Amino acid sequence: MSITVVGSVAYDNIESPAGRRERCLGGAATYFSLAASFFADVRIIAVVGDDFGPDQEAVFKARNIDIRGIEHAPGKCFLWEGSYLDDLNSAKTHLTELNVFACFEPKIPAAYADSEFLFLANIDPVLQRRVRDAMPKVKLVAGDTMNYWIKDHRPELLDVLKDLDVLLINDTEARMLTEEKNLVKAARAVMALGPRYLVIKHGEYGASLFHKSLPKDKGAELRAPAMPLEQVIDPTGAGDSFAGGFFGYLAAQSELTLESFRYAMFYGSVMGAFACERFGTERLQQLTRAEIDERFHVFRELTHLD
Amino acid sequence: MSITVVGSVAYDNIESPAGRRERCLGGAATYFSLAASFFADVRIIAVVGDDFGPDQEAVFKARNIDIRGIEHAPGKCFLWEGSYLDDLNSAKTHLTELNVFACFEPKIPAAYADSEFLFLANIDPVLQRRVRDAMPKVKLVAGDTMNYWIKDHRPELLDVLKDLDVLLINDTEARMLTEEKNLVKAARAVMALGPRYLVIKHGEYGASLFHKSLPKDKGAELRAPAMPLEQVIDPTGAGDSFAGGFFGYLAAQSELTLESFRYAMFYGSVMGAFACERFGTERLQQLTRAEIDERFHVFRELTHLD
């Protein structure tokens, strides 16, 4: 089955304890689609500028990602610059140039209309809503968001949440969205806003899956670990790669059971771990499906008792 | 098999979002021994004051804990006062009165000499060393420590670490001890100081087990979850209860394999979760073994794929 993803394609200037890289191909939709492409067909909706050429297109094409939804606009690509010098868990943003992204009006190619899975990466909830409405036939819709939309665009965000099947956010965002410190209470409050499933990402400590049916005595449906990495080169895109692995795995299943969502959490963690091993999308570009399956088994060993 | 534990028996004045309690029976050795008593015979070495009477003794006796090593000294018990109003993950200490604990000279009853397991709870490393040396026949020694000893008593602490089989500390302590931000690198550095096994506790995110043989590609031997709790009443003693469940489980095994240590991590997490459900030791006092096994299965479900 195929996934349509809408979000940013960007360039990133990244500084981490491992060094500095200029103009890495990045953006949430880029990381998501590369990670998801190992599991399902992916179609991307984004906008790029004059500085996006055949070399960048080749990155998507190498993974069979449908880029007919990438619109070329006059100007430059979204540019982000940030560093992880003090804390690998959270980036310090130095610069954000929206450029062509400032006037992004997602256009959905007719060929994407039969996608059964839709991922709304972290963009203006007004645009998320518009894309969601334009694809009424999808069977599973997941989305991401961030502190900026939670704080300053709450009504628009709430309007998206009510039609979302799965929301993926981090601890801070879950607490900010619900004004509830306790994560289990926050999870219940988020799901009351719409999503049947909620993934809360805990950075280097993994992620928790919650489902609306959650029994009182259990707290979460599943806790998936993050890989304890001896060398984190660049955490940029780890969350989007998690989402890609998670949603990609789901899109590849013939039936969506609670157990599929549990497995999806582990595949999400696997893809998030790979993303951190090199700067930008480098590791995802070189990855093989065999390496993914091997890493999945390591994650299983890391958490399972005989 | 039996465990000897040396550490504090104290009174705690605790304030959390759930309320306030005065003079709860507490101290690391109290929590540890109550938690461990569900798995093995426990013998305690500690010092108490005139304000420790039959009511307090009864708490230990109810769990068949050998209290012949509790010395009664003139004066008052160690008193700690703290609150968790801002952050349930870390206590704000308002008051510490060492009282009789200030002159603690651990005395080991002759009847304890055949203990095969020794737990050195968080006390002055000079005392930890002394108890360790006085019990040369033990087959497994585990210990805990804290920021104060790491910062200001490093040589004495290093002297304890070199003869420790298992160290249990938290993220901050592991980083402080090794001056290494990355937890996997910190784990390797700690184990180079002595312990074959290392448990790093991540608060509400669970704990990681490391073993010296750790292969390069795995990061940790096991990641055990913490129970996502909807209501944390009082986190005091959660770490000591984890240690009690962990070490108690090990002491109950006929053979100590890597798999025993993996299971022990889950039992540690289970006991840590119970400790948070009521103020002080209240929950541990009321607990049954059946409840522990039931919770163990919930933890398994929380982390295992079919």
Side-chain angles (χ1 to χ4, degrees), chain B:
Chain B
M1 306 212 207
S2 81
I3 304 172
T4 288
V5 52
V6 58
S8 58
V9 169
Y11 285 111
D12 295 332
N13 296 335
I14 302 161
E15 194 171 11
S16 86
R20 188 179 160 84
R21 291 291 184 286
E22 301 273 333
R23 296 183 67 74
C24 296
L25 181 62
T30 303
Y31 281 102
F32 177 92
S33 57
L34 288 174
S37 72
F38 290 92
F39 304 89
D41 290 333
V42 182
R43 299 154 168 184
I44 187 170
I45 301 171
V47 63
V48 296
D50 310 321
D51 50 352
F52 183 96
D55 287 356
Q56 288 72 40
E57 281 192 357
V59 172
F60 293 90
K61 285 181 177 165
R63 295 288 328 138
N64 280 318
I65 296 163
D66 193 331
I67 56 171
R68 284 176 288 177
I70 294 188
E71 178 194 351
H72 290 256
K76 286 187 162 186
C77 281
F78 184 1
L79 178 76
W80 176 81
E81 186 168 312
S83 66
Y84 303 89
L85 296 182
D86 298 328
D87 182 0
L88 279 164
N89 286 307
S90 73
K92 187 179 276 182
T93 294
H94 299 305
L95 181 77
T96 306
E97 286 180 7
L98 290 176
N99 300 326
V100 296
F101 202 66
C103 307
F104 183 31
E105 290 282 349
K107 291 168 195 68
I108 306 166
Y112 288 15
D114 62 352
S115 278
E116 283 170 296
F117 290 76
L118 174 63
F119 188 76
L120 308 168
N122 169 31
I123 51 170
D124 186 338
V126 170
L127 302 183
Q128 289 181 318
R129 177 82 245 175
R130 211 173 291 164
V131 175
R132 205 266 162 263
D133 289 342
M135 298 188 71
K137 286 186 204 155
V138 293
K139 79 173 192 189
L140 198 76
V141 188
D144 188 5
T145 191
M146 70 184 287
N147 52 3
Y148 174 70
W149 309 115
I150 295 171
K151 263 202 301 206
D152 298 338
H153 297 256
R154 185 175 285 262
E156 295 80 4
L157 178 62
L158 293 180
D159 189 51
V160 171
L161 290 184
K162 67 183 170 59
D163 286 328
L164 221 54
D165 296 302
V166 191
L167 177 69
L168 295 97
I169 49 180
N170 68 30
D171 290 6
T172 311
E173 291 156 356
R175 289 184 169 122
M176 188 183 283
L177 181 57
T178 58
E179 288 169 359
E180 178 59 70
K181 273 188 192 177
N182 179 286
L183 275 188
V184 183
K185 285 183 185 163
R188 286 189 197 279
V190 171
M191 291 187 290
L193 298 172
R196 283 181 294 135
Y197 286 96
L198 171 67
V199 176
I200 301 186
K201 294 171 285 178
H202 314 306
E204 68 171 310
Y205 300 117
S208 299
L209 171 69
F210 297 91
H211 176 247
K212 262 191 174 159
S213 72
L214 202 60
K216 190 83 187 164
D217 65 340
K218 208 173 154 198
E221 178 55 38
L222 182 86
R223 284 226 157 167
M227 184 86 190
L229 291 170
E230 190 143 13
Q231 257 210 318
V232 175
I233 301 295
D234 171 20
T236 310
D240 302 311
S241 304
F242 179 104
F246 175 85
F247 210 54
Y249 177 83
L250 288 176
Q253 304 315 302
S254 54
E255 207 189 344
L256 289 180
T257 62
L258 190 50
E259 196 62 24
S260 323
F261 280 84
R262 294 168 64 93
Y263 270 77
M265 291 289 290
F266 274 68
Y267 280 102
S269 294
V270 163
M271 299 310 288
F274 278 126
C276 298
E277 291 182 352
R278 301 271 188 288
F279 275 99
T281 56
E282 202 180 310
R283 188 69 179 94
L284 297 184
Q285 288 181 54
Q286 295 164 346
L287 204 59
T288 65
R289 180 62 205 240
E291 286 178 303
I292 294 172
D293 293 333
E294 198 181 309
R295 186 67 63 90
F296 175 81
H297 287 291
V298 174
F299 268 76
R300 214 175 164 131
E301 266 179 43
L302 191 63
T303 50
H304 285 45
L305 303 177
D306 281 348

Side-chain angles (χ1 to χ4, degrees), chain A residues 85-107:
Chain A
L85 296 182
D86 298 328
D87 182 0
L88 279 164
N89 287 308
S90 73
K92 186 179 277 182
T93 294
H94 299 305
L95 182 77
T96 305
E97 285 180 7
L98 290 177
N99 299 324
V100 296
F101 202 67
C103 307
F104 183 31
E105 291 282 350
K107 291 168 195 69

Side-chain angles (χ1 to χ4, degrees), chain A:
Chain A
M1 302 208 210
S2 81
I3 303 171
T4 288
V5 51
V6 58
S8 59
V9 169
Y11 285 111
D12 295 333
N13 297 335
I14 303 161
E15 194 170 11
S16 87
R20 189 179 160 83
R21 291 289 184 287
E22 301 274 331
R23 296 184 67 74
C24 296
L25 181 63
T30 303
Y31 281 102
F32 176 93
S33 57
L34 287 174
S37 72
F38 289 92
F39 304 89
D41 291 332
V42 181
R43 298 155 168 181
I44 186 170
I45 302 170
V47 62
V48 295
D50 310 322
D51 51 352
F52 183 95
D55 288 355
Q56 289 72 42
E57 284 192 355
V59 172
F60 294 90
K61 285 180 177 166
R63 296 286 329 140
N64 281 318
I65 296 162
D66 193 329
I67 56 171
R68 283 177 289 179
I70 295 188
E71 178 194 352
H72 291 256
K76 288 186 160 190
C77 280
F78 184 0
L79 178 76
W80 177 80
E81 186 169 311
S83 67
Y84 304 89
L85 296 182
D86 298 328
D87 182 0
L88 279 164
N89 287 308
S90 73
K92 186 179 277 182
T93 294
H94 299 305
L95 182 77
T96 305
E97 285 180 7
L98 290 177
N99 299 324
V100 296
F101 202 67
C103 307
F104 183 31
E105 291 282 350
K107 291 168 195 69
I108 304 166
Y112 287 16
D114 62 352
S115 278
E116 284 170 293
F117 289 77
L118 174 63
F119 188 76
L120 308 169
N122 168 31
I123 52 171
D124 186 338
V126 172
L127 302 184
Q128 290 181 317
R129 177 82 245 173
R130 210 172 294 163
V131 174
R132 205 267 160 264
D133 289 343
M135 298 188 69
K137 286 186 204 155
V138 291
K139 79 173 191 191
L140 198 75
V141 188
D144 188 5
T145 191
M146 70 185 288
N147 51 4
Y148 174 70
W149 309 116
I150 295 171
K151 264 201 304 203
D152 299 336
H153 297 257
R154 183 175 284 262
E156 296 79 6
L157 179 62
L158 293 180
D159 188 50
V160 172
L161 290 183
K162 68 182 168 58
D163 286 327
L164 221 53
D165 297 300
V166 191
L167 177 68
L168 296 96
I169 49 179
N170 66 31
D171 291 6
T172 313
E173 291 156 358
R175 289 181 170 125
M176 188 184 283
L177 180 57
T178 58
E179 288 168 359
E180 179 56 71
K181 274 188 194 177
N182 180 287
L183 276 188
V184 182
K185 285 185 186 161
R188 287 190 197 278
V190 171
M191 291 187 291
L193 299 171
R196 282 182 294 135
Y197 287 96
L198 170 67
V199 177
I200 301 186
K201 293 171 285 178
H202 314 306
E204 66 171 312
Y205 300 117
S208 299
L209 172 70
F210 297 90
H211 177 246
K212 261 189 173 160
S213 72
L214 203 60
K216 191 87 187 162
D217 65 342
K218 208 172 154 201
E221 179 53 41
L222 183 85
R223 283 226 156 166
M227 183 87 190
L229 291 170
E230 189 142 13
Q231 258 211 318
V232 175
I233 300 295
D234 170 20
T236 310
D240 303 311
S241 303
F242 179 104
F246 175 85
F247 210 54
Y249 177 83
L250 289 176
Q253 305 314 303
S254 54
E255 207 189 344
L256 288 180
T257 63
L258 190 50
E259 197 62 22
S260 324
F261 280 84
R262 294 169 64 93
Y263 271 77
M265 290 291 287
F266 273 68
Y267 280 102
S269 293
V270 164
M271 300 309 288
F274 278 125
C276 297
E277 292 183 349
R278 301 271 189 289
F279 275 99
T281 57
E282 203 180 311
R283 187 70 181 94
L284 297 183
Q285 288 181 53
Q286 295 163 345
L287 204 58
T288 66
R289 181 62 205 243
E291 286 178 304
I292 294 170
D293 293 334
E294 199 180 308
R295 185 66 63 91
F296 174 82
H297 287 290
V298 174
F299 268 76
R300 214 174 165 134
E301 267 179 42
L302 191 64
T303 49
H304 285 47
L305 303 176
D306 280 348

